[in-house]
Amino acid sequence: MITKDSIETAYSFLHQKRNVYIHSTLEWQKDNIEDAIASYVDDMSQELYETISNGKADFLRDHKRFKEDITIAVERLEEML
């Protein structure tokens, strides 16, 4: 069961990190954000992760797709609120 609190927490965290990521010009800062998000999703509700990832393997963990993935994740979480 996905709780409203878990959705709100994930949304707040990912939304804040996404905003910094998309405006950052520092590669080390972007890398740190990617690492923080990967660590976060490792510990988040598996059911919530599967819902926002839509079954996509390595969602929020693939450097090449990270900007797209985090944008999708924030949009899906916002819809769930």
Side-chain angles (χ1 to χ4, degrees), residues 19-31 33:
N19 287 345
V20 174
Y21 186 89
I22 63 175
H23 291 71
S24 179
T25 58
L26 305 170
E27 289 305 314
W28 64 265
Q29 186 177 41
K30 289 181 174 185
D31 290 342
I33 291 170

Side-chain angles (χ1 to χ4, degrees), residues 32-46:
N32 286 349
I33 291 170
E34 289 183 34
D35 291 343
I37 297 296
S39 178
Y40 181 82
V41 298
D42 285 344
D43 294 332
M44 77 186 301
S45 156
Q46 188 64 32

Side-chain angles (χ1 to χ4, degrees), residues 24-78:
S24 179
T25 58
L26 305 170
E27 289 305 314
W28 64 265
Q29 186 177 41
K30 289 181 174 185
D31 290 342
N32 286 349
I33 291 170
E34 289 183 34
D35 291 343
I37 297 296
S39 178
Y40 181 82
V41 298
D42 285 344
D43 294 332
M44 77 186 301
S45 156
Q46 188 64 32
E47 186 177 1
L48 180 56
Y49 178 75
E50 289 174 5
T51 299
I52 65 171
S53 71
N54 204 28
K56 188 185 287 185
D58 294 329
F59 186 73
L60 293 170
R61 294 182 176 108
D62 184 335
H63 176 73
K64 294 174 189 167
R65 289 192 337 248
F66 185 80
K67 186 175 180 181
E68 176 187 351
D69 285 354
I70 196 161
T71 299
I72 290 168
V74 169
E75 289 170 356
R76 288 182 180 157
L77 288 163
E78 190 171 320

